[in-house]
Amino acid sequence: MAFSAASCSSSAALLLLLLLTASSAASDLAADRSALLALRAAVAGRTVLWDAASASPCAWAGVTCENDRVAVLRLPGDSLTGQIPLGIFPNLTALRTLSLRFNTRLTGPLPSDLGQCVALRNVYLQGNAFSGEIPAFFHDRLNDLVRLNLAGNRFTGEVPVGFNKLVRLRTLYLQDNLLSGTISALDLPNIDQFNVSNNQLLNGSIPRSLRKIDKSSFAGTSLCGRPLNLCPGEVDEADSVIPSKKKLSAGAIAGIVIGSVVALIILLLLLLLIFRRNSSQKTRSVDVAAVAKEAELEPQADKSALEAGNGVAAAAVAPAAYNKAAAVNGGVGSKKLVFFGAVPKAFDLEDLLKASAEVLGKGTFGTAYKAVLDAGITMAVKRLRDVTLPEKEFREKIEAVGAVDHENLVPLRAYYYNRDEKLLVYDYMPMGSLSALLHGNRGAGRVPLNWEMRSGIALGAARGIAYLHSQGSSVSHGNIKSSNILLDKSYEPRVSDFGLSQLSGPSSTPNRVDGYRAPEVTDPRKVSQKADVYSFGVLLLELLTGKAPTHALLTEEGVDLPRWAQSVVREEWTSEVFDFELLRNQNAEEEMVQLLQLAIDCAAQYPDKRPPMSEVARRIEELRRSSLEDFQDSVSETVRDVDIDNAPGPQ
């Protein structure tokens, strides 16, 4: 009986604790709600359309809650006007991200009690009219700041040396203000993005920790030192390590000269050998007819060359040889290209045999070639491998692929079937693959992939895959990855290789380590639509992070791309996920975070948790529309301010 009483007492205490916790959470959320309504009353009027009758602010536009607290507040370009009063932010103690960017009529100093939001990680206040000195609370109280953007305001005074205390700080944008003094005492070794340009009164030397930053980030100032011109009396570090010639003896100089000459001769010989070797092996355009003629004489040798991937072949070389062998051996298969639909047959197999061609690359299902026909037509030809289907089954499956027609899918124009060779003829996409664009040359001359391009590619690819899924519940792509997202001359995305997983044997399909395969997929020839969604989620993460999932081992523990992104977000370092090139566009960080969340949703571990592709396409379209509206609003506000500033005063 005593045990029962004790149990009842313990249960009652636990119930009371739960009730108190729930009451406290409700009280905190109510305080958040009151603070937001006070903010709207002070600076927004009716421009922020929140339903004041709603008990919870978590469904309000621009508000995101976590654990029943307001964690994110985003009101970009909402025509907020006036000065933010004291007494609002002390109630928003769980706030992690604050974005009030491009509200050009927000004025006055920042409220000092903003420093009480000690959970803040990301602060975006660019494009407003805040004034006064940069508040000390940014570096004295907000110790976990990762991104701070105060650009395009009217801040004065010096750049606080207290920023050195923020060890997690990765972005500090202070350009287009009225700052003065020096920055030589700044020591920000972990900074990725820094900009103080167009602060004309900034002077002195650029500190060593910031000399890795591009010189454009210091333009419009009186600063000196690398990456700008050297300060007066400063010696370039590169010059300081050059030994003085006066300290070298005549014998040492002679030895250096002789050694240099010998090294140069050896280097030239090596280059000559490498050049000759590459000349015999490099990928080049060839006359296909000539190679085909040789192939008829020695079909097995030519087939071996193709399989070895030496890069000296056209997509249609092998059929000429194998047709002859097939005819002798009673083989089956037509010697004609089979075209789809009512497309004019501008070429035939013979024209393809005469075309010059070059290897584009080897993929999951075979080797792709660029074939330039005599008539000036350029096509892409894929030579399939490991296809053992009988002719009737092959034709049924490939004709289903050829019947698919959508602006975001690479159209299959024709095919060729022979017992030994199967060829697919596609439209040629001149800008190559998304994979090459993302992971290719990152040096000088590269055109960065900005938010507009990446989100457009994401939307087009989503629409193409959603269209495939709309053809039937059993229809899937089966091999979604960045190398299968091709780009036309306008950088519009086209999804390729759809339907080919049904043609090839298991040996030709990628193994699970490629990073795109959904965890539930065991047979690569049987990929569900939900598995396609997983692969597309990985593709979105690749677009946002710039990391190739095929590398798989992003950390020493071997965490794949989805789990790595989830862990970063869970640790509240969301901004650390994004590709550096993408972060240059600070006008779309909210949309980037939304797309990141969509990518994580798509790459959920359990298939039932993943959204359908139709919903994925719709959500991407909505966030792109939101990004465009934000940009248009900010432009309109800027133009309106210019008109007001230039309006004539009373006469």
Side-chain angles (χ1 to χ4, degrees):
M1 190 70 176
F3 177 79
S4 177
S7 299
C8 290
S9 176
S10 176
S11 299
L14 179 60
L15 180 60
L16 179 60
L17 178 62
L18 291 174
L19 290 173
L20 289 174
T21 302
S23 175
S24 175
S27 176
D28 289 339
L29 188 60
D32 289 346
R33 179 181 179 278
S34 298
L36 294 178
L37 291 177
L39 177 65
R40 185 181 73 166
V43 297
R46 295 183 178 273
T47 58
V48 179
L49 301 178
W50 289 340
D51 181 10
S54 173
S56 172
C58 298
W60 292 352
V63 178
T64 301
C65 292
E66 294 178 4
N67 300 321
D68 290 324
R69 293 298 307 279
V70 172
V72 177
L73 177 61
R74 295 189 176 96
L75 300 174
D78 272 324
S79 302
L80 307 184
T81 304
Q83 186 171 335
I84 301 175
L86 293 170
I88 291 175
F89 288 108
N91 289 324
L92 297 171
T93 54
L95 198 62
R96 290 191 298 103
T97 296
L98 173 66
S99 175
L100 303 177
R101 60 187 173 89
F102 295 121
N103 289 284
T104 55
R105 290 191 175 86
L106 274 182
T107 62
L110 293 173
S112 59
D113 55 13
L114 178 59
Q116 295 187 38
C117 298
V118 293
L120 273 171
R121 305 290 189 274
N122 309 295
V123 178
Y124 304 106
L125 301 176
Q126 68 268 34
N128 298 309
F130 292 120
S131 58
E133 295 188 354
I134 296 175
F137 61 70
F138 280 124
H139 49 78
D140 287 344
R141 305 197 62 179
L142 306 184
N143 299 322
D144 290 329
L145 268 183
V146 177
R147 308 289 179 192
L148 177 60
N149 193 334
L150 303 178
N153 283 282
R154 299 172 185 172
F155 288 111
T156 56
E158 296 189 351
V159 178
V161 70
F163 283 132
N164 293 347
K165 294 186 283 187
L166 301 179
V167 295
R168 296 181 68 177
L169 191 65
R170 295 296 183 271
T171 296
L172 180 59
Y173 282 145
L174 303 173
Q175 67 267 28
D176 301 308
N177 278 287
L178 304 171
L179 300 174
S180 59
T182 70
I183 61 171
S184 57
L186 286 181
D187 184 17
L188 304 171
N190 297 323
I191 204 77
D192 294 325
Q193 298 170 290
F194 180 86
N195 197 325
V196 290
S197 62
N198 300 320
N199 287 282
Q200 297 182 0
L201 299 180
L202 281 180
N203 59 78
S205 64
I206 297 172
R208 185 179 302 274
S209 66
L210 297 177
R211 296 193 174 189
K212 62 184 178 181
I213 305 296
D214 187 82
K215 64 181 180 181
S216 62
S217 296
F218 306 100
T221 69
S222 298
L223 294 166
C224 60
R226 298 299 183 204
L228 303 179
N229 294 328
L230 295 179
C231 298
E234 184 179 12
V235 178
D236 197 335
E237 294 176 358
D239 294 336
S240 65
V241 299
I242 299 177
S244 172
K245 291 184 179 180
K246 294 181 180 179
K247 296 181 180 180
L248 297 176
S249 65
I253 294 174
I256 291 173
V257 171
I258 294 172
S260 299
V261 171
V262 172
L264 180 61
I265 292 173
I266 294 173
L267 179 61
L268 289 174
L269 289 173
L270 288 174
L271 290 174
L272 182 61
L273 289 173
I274 292 172
F275 176 77
R276 288 182 174 179
R277 183 177 180 181
N278 288 346
S279 297
S280 64
Q281 295 184 354
K282 68 179 182 178
T283 300
R284 61 184 183 270
S285 297
V286 297
D287 179 50
V288 179
V291 179
K293 185 174 181 180
E294 294 178 6
E296 291 180 357
L297 297 176
E298 297 180 346
Q300 294 303 320
D302 205 75
K303 180 179 181 182
S304 299
L306 278 168
E307 294 291 354
N310 290 332
V312 186
V317 170
Y322 295 130
N323 281 347
K324 181 176 180 180
V328 172
N329 297 322
V332 295
S334 170
K335 294 184 180 181
K336 294 182 179 180
L337 289 174
V338 179
F339 287 82
F340 293 101
V343 178
K345 298 172 180 58
F347 58 91
D348 55 24
L349 183 60
E350 185 177 353
D351 295 322
L352 206 61
L353 290 173
K354 293 179 180 178
S356 63
E358 63 184 63
V359 177
L360 293 175
K362 291 188 174 183
T364 302
F365 303 111
T367 303
Y369 303 82
K370 174 185 176 182
V372 182
L373 283 71
D374 289 341
I377 302 172
T378 302
M379 305 300 293
V381 182
K382 183 179 288 288
R383 177 174 179 252
L384 298 177
R385 67 166 180 265
D386 296 329
V387 177
T388 57
L389 295 179
E391 182 176 4
K392 181 180 179 182
E393 186 177 354
F394 177 88
R395 292 185 186 280
E396 288 176 353
K397 293 182 180 295
I398 205 64
E399 284 172 4
V401 174
V404 175
D405 182 21
H406 189 271
E407 60 183 0
N408 291 118
L409 300 175
V410 179
L412 177 62
R413 298 303 185 190
Y415 72 92
Y416 170 86
Y417 181 92
N418 180 271
R419 183 181 62 184
D420 300 291
E421 289 296 328
K422 289 87 181 171
L423 306 175
L424 304 179
V425 183
Y426 294 93
D427 283 357
Y428 174 67
M429 298 292 117
M431 303 314 296
S433 72
L434 174 60
S435 177
L437 207 59
L438 274 175
H439 311 300
N441 173 38
R442 288 238 169 185
R446 168 183 166 84
V447 178
L449 273 174
N450 59 24
W451 163 253
E452 186 65 26
M453 291 180 66
R454 296 194 199 206
S455 59
I457 291 171
L459 178 59
R463 285 173 172 171
I465 299 167
Y467 176 81
L468 283 177
H469 288 188
S470 71
Q471 302 305 297
S473 59
S474 62
V475 178
S476 63
H477 184 287
N479 191 30
I480 296 170
K481 55 184 179 179
S482 60
S483 58
N484 282 338
I485 307 299
L486 306 183
L487 305 168
D488 64 17
K489 61 183 179 180
S490 301
Y491 287 92
E492 289 296 320
R494 302 288 192 97
V495 181
S496 69
D497 271 21
F498 52 90
L500 301 192
S501 60
Q502 304 296 318
L503 303 176
S504 300
S507 62
S508 67
T509 52
N511 44 27
R512 193 165 174 174
V513 77
D514 67 1
Y516 294 94
R517 183 81 60 80
E520 72 273 11
V521 174
T522 55
D523 186 345
R525 294 167 297 177
K526 298 178 181 179
V527 176
S528 68
Q529 293 185 353
K530 289 293 187 180
D532 273 355
V533 175
Y534 180 95
S535 300
F536 185 76
V538 178
L539 177 69
L540 289 181
L541 291 173
E542 187 176 2
L543 267 170
L544 290 168
T545 66
K547 298 181 184 295
T550 48
H551 293 165
L553 303 180
L554 296 173
T555 67
E556 293 180 358
E557 292 78 19
V559 178
D560 61 18
L561 187 54
R563 284 191 293 163
W564 175 78
Q566 289 167 1
S567 67
V568 173
V569 172
R570 194 182 308 116
E571 293 297 324
E572 300 176 345
W573 287 61
T574 302
S575 298
E576 297 302 300
V577 169
F578 300 119
D579 187 4
F580 178 77
E581 284 186 349
L582 194 55
L583 283 172
R584 293 176 182 175
N585 182 3
Q586 285 293 312
N587 295 332
E589 69 273 7
E590 287 89 357
E591 290 77 19
M592 288 157 52
V593 172
Q594 291 177 43
L595 189 60
L596 174 64
Q597 185 57 59
L598 176 58
I600 292 175
D601 291 346
C602 290
Q605 192 77 1
Y606 299 104
D608 291 344
K609 300 291 186 180
R610 303 168 196 158
M613 279 306 303
S614 56
E615 180 184 335
V616 173
R618 178 186 60 77
R619 287 171 63 177
I620 298 176
E621 186 173 8
E622 287 178 355
L623 67 89
R624 270 179 56 83
R625 187 185 304 118
S626 173
S627 179
L628 178 61
E629 289 172 354
D630 284 353
F631 175 75
Q632 291 173 340
D633 287 344
S634 66
V635 170
S636 299
E637 287 294 317
T638 303
V639 171
R640 192 178 303 127
D641 285 346
V642 171
D643 291 342
I644 292 173
D645 292 340
N646 293 335
Q651 301 297 318

